[in-house]
Amino acid sequence: MAEPKKLFIKTYGCQMNVYDSERMAEAMGGAGYTEVASADEADMILLNTCHIREKAAEKVYSELGRFRDLKEAKPDLKIGVAGCVAQAEGAEIMRRQPLVDLVVGPQSYHRLPEMEAKLRQGGTALDTDFPEEDKFEKLARRPKARRAPAAFLTVQEGCDKFCAFCVVPYTRGAESSRPAQRVIDEAKDLVERGVREITLLGQNVNAYHGAGPKGEDWTLAQLIWALNDVDGLERIRFTTSHPNDMGDDLIEAHGTCAKLMPYLHLPVQSGSDRILKRMNRSHTAESYIRLIERIRAARPDLLLSGDFIVGFPEETEADFQATLDLIEEVRYGQAYSFKYSTRPGTPAAERAQVDGAQATERLQRLQALLGRQQREIQESMVGREVDVLFERAGRQPGQMVGKSQYLHAVHAAAPDARPGDMARVRVTGSATNSLAGTLI
Ligand code: 5AD
Ligand code: SF4
């Protein structure tokens, strides 16, 4: 028997990349690879990359440079680049960094084993196609190994929105949704292996329109209701959503679907209508605020999360102030905020750029406000009871750590609990990034 070869995968960027890396590891498992935790012992290294901002993309090249010594010591070592940098830059990556043997775009991961075989015969391999066949069907099924209590499940990929700053429609392609039954089957398989919470993933997940059992398109809400019936599955989340795709049935489900958690990530990007228009967002600050009101009417305790970009081309101080005003009105429990990053090939790259120092200063003010809101909302949990899904042991003996329904990290003394257990916990304290509580 040949010894298993060793694969090291490093994942950058979004949760979909985390999911994709798991699937690649499984596909390569079928080609005789086991996953290892460090690059030093690997026979093959895969970087699963992110192209969303310049900094993320540049990180890949500095990481690749660090593998030079490894490759000199072990000439058989194969180095691959996957993910959105692979899709966006293709063969250019090998020209810029000749250490790279393989470049594979997100739609071609099911072809990885073939590509690896090609490498072993010498030469390089490149695949950035958008193939006809369904990669999810072609990707090897997972071995029946135990899984952590919380898992990701991709249900939708790609985006047709073309926000003026964003590379996703180019790197992940047009919107496509997996058939509902396939998602349900995968969810059941995850539950059999110990998963209790599933986060449905898509670049534009609430635009989901996969084929239902009778061939008619299902909405995301219909899919969530079907998953609500899966025994053993306790919690459902989804991310990331676009305001314009929040259908009435999805809003309603937040109030009526027992397993759907009271947490919603709904990026707005800016609070200025002028900038929103230039971003091609096709919603206004006002329509977003009205939408939040409707969702909160359905689920009053909803914790809201958002994404913000500051320093978008042509943003003035007044535009920025409108973003701060929107944040004051909405109140976010969680947020991700970014300085605008010019992405080649996107419409906004051609426009008058905001001075970098000014954008940095705005980002600091924005993050101060968002940080304050986040802290206040977290502190308001103290004294309340929450449900915690324990995920792992904590640092103290007998302590367990998990997530509340609002996605706050919570730790509590629970010597008899195991990962996957749910517990009712009274929150007793709030630290920087977590809550402390006691079992009820
Ligand atoms: N510059 C800065 N932030 C960006 N995002 C997407 N593209 C850019 C860009 N060019 C942010 C958006 C999006 C999140 C995933 O990343 O806020 O919602
Ligand atoms: Fe990018 Fe999201 Fe806009 Fe699509 S909706 S273009 S993924 S920011």
Side-chain angles (χ1 to χ4, degrees):
M1 282 274 288
E3 246 196 59
K5 286 173 279 182
K6 293 177 181 140
L7 173 68
F8 172 69
I9 305 184
K10 181 159 181 176
T11 307
Y12 298 84
C14 66
Q15 292 151 330
M16 194 174 287
N17 272 6
V18 175
Y19 176 85
D20 285 344
S21 290
E22 285 167 7
R23 303 305 302 268
M24 283 193 273
E26 284 161 13
M28 294 302 284
Y33 278 84
T34 56
E35 210 177 347
V36 293
S38 102
D40 299 337
E41 41 176 329
D43 300 297
M44 181 167 189
I45 297 172
L46 269 180
L47 299 185
N48 192 5
T49 62
C50 173
H51 200 245
I52 197 94
R53 286 168 289 274
E54 190 180 358
K55 232 191 235 160
E58 282 307 311
K59 246 191 239 160
V60 174
Y61 288 99
S62 52
E63 185 75 33
L64 284 170
R66 267 180 244 139
F67 297 143
R68 182 163 297 121
D69 292 346
L70 274 182
K71 190 138 180 169
E72 261 165 32
K74 200 197 267 184
D76 273 351
L77 172 67
K78 300 297 176 196
I79 298 178
V81 176
C84 291
V85 175
Q87 190 62 46
E89 299 185 9
E92 180 59 28
I93 298 173
M94 292 174 177
R95 273 193 289 275
R96 194 167 151 191
Q97 181 45 274
L99 288 175
V100 174
D101 303 288
L102 173 148
V103 172
V104 59
Q107 300 311 322
S108 304
Y109 293 156
H110 56 295
R111 295 176 174 170
L112 254 179
E114 286 165 47
M115 294 174 77
E116 190 270 347
K118 196 176 150 205
L119 291 188
R120 295 290 159 200
Q121 290 159 9
T124 59
L126 169 82
D127 191 338
T128 52
D129 290 350
F130 284 91
E132 282 296 306
E133 73 264 17
D134 180 351
K135 78 167 166 192
F136 291 109
E137 286 316 293
K138 294 268 176 354
L139 275 164
R141 295 299 305 172
R142 301 158 198 251
K144 291 274 172 201
R146 289 294 290 178
R147 290 282 308 261
F152 297 127
L153 200 175
T154 294
V155 303
Q156 180 278 338
E157 224 177 328
C159 181
D160 296 339
K161 294 279 190 294
F162 291 92
C163 296
F165 49 80
C166 186
V167 289
V168 165
Y170 312 96
T171 56
R172 290 275 173 170
E175 259 175 31
S176 76
S177 300
R178 296 177 68 192
Q181 195 56 51
R182 305 244 170 89
V183 174
I184 296 164
D185 290 345
E186 192 170 327
K188 286 181 176 163
D189 177 63
L190 288 169
V191 168
E192 274 173 28
R193 293 191 285 129
V195 169
R196 295 288 167 265
E197 171 176 316
I198 291 180
T199 302
L200 306 176
L201 297 181
Q203 269 88 30
N204 228 322
V205 72
N206 60 344
Y208 177 84
H209 54 87
K214 297 193 191 89
E216 78 294 10
D217 275 5
W218 267 17
T219 61
L220 183 65
Q222 283 174 292
L223 182 65
I224 288 170
W225 276 110
L227 292 171
N228 194 56
D229 288 337
V230 173
D231 287 337
L233 180 63
E234 314 250 14
R235 292 174 157 189
I236 304 164
R237 306 180 188 275
F238 61 91
T239 195
T240 287
S241 298
H242 191 286
N244 290 8
D245 292 313
M246 283 307 293
D248 292 345
D249 58 349
L250 188 56
I251 294 175
E252 200 186 310
H254 281 91
T256 51
C257 182
K259 293 180 185 173
L260 182 59
M261 292 294 102
Y263 179 100
L264 179 64
H265 183 62
L266 196 62
V268 66
Q269 314 295 357
S270 167
S272 155
D273 287 345
R274 198 179 71 88
I275 293 295
L276 285 169
K277 195 160 190 171
R278 296 291 283 150
M279 284 178 164
N280 193 31
R281 288 288 294 179
S282 58
H283 61 78
T284 62
E286 178 72 18
S287 70
Y288 178 86
I289 288 168
R290 295 286 92 83
L291 174 63
I292 299 295
E293 282 171 1
R294 288 178 56 216
I295 305 167
R296 282 188 169 142
R299 183 75 203 220
D301 63 336
L302 186 93
L303 190 141
L304 200 75
S305 159
D307 287 346
F308 301 89
I309 295 177
V310 301
F312 185 76
E314 302 156 12
E315 184 188 73
T316 63
E317 180 58 29
D319 293 318
F320 175 65
Q321 188 58 49
T323 302
L324 296 180
D325 293 346
L326 178 137
I327 294 169
E328 292 279 9
E329 186 155 353
V330 171
R331 290 179 56 78
Y332 289 89
Q334 171 71 268
Y336 305 88
S337 49
F338 314 98
K339 197 159 101 165
Y340 170 72
S341 169
T342 312
R343 307 313 291 130
T346 60
E350 313 294 322
R351 302 185 193 153
Q353 305 291 312
V354 169
D355 171 69
Q358 197 163 41
T360 303
E361 189 263 340
R362 283 179 194 163
L363 185 63
Q364 284 164 355
R365 281 154 66 200
L366 182 97
Q367 290 182 339
L369 173 60
L370 288 168
R372 203 154 57 234
Q373 289 192 346
Q374 193 171 328
R375 242 177 352 263
E376 281 167 13
I377 290 173
Q378 198 184 293
E379 277 160 13
S380 76
M381 301 304 300
V382 177
R384 286 176 59 183
E385 289 180 19
V386 293
D387 297 312
V388 179
L389 172 64
F390 287 128
E391 293 181 9
R392 58 187 166 81
R395 256 183 255 149
Q396 316 289 335
Q399 190 188 55
M400 291 293 287
V401 187
K403 297 273 167 57
S404 79
Q405 61 269 53
Y406 309 105
L407 214 53
H408 286 127
V410 181
H411 54 86
D416 300 326
R418 287 191 305 191
D421 288 351
M422 290 276 275
R424 193 89 180 142
V425 170
R426 182 177 303 284
V427 179
T428 53
S430 171
T432 317
N433 284 314
S434 66
L435 296 168
T438 49
L439 289 186
I440 292 174

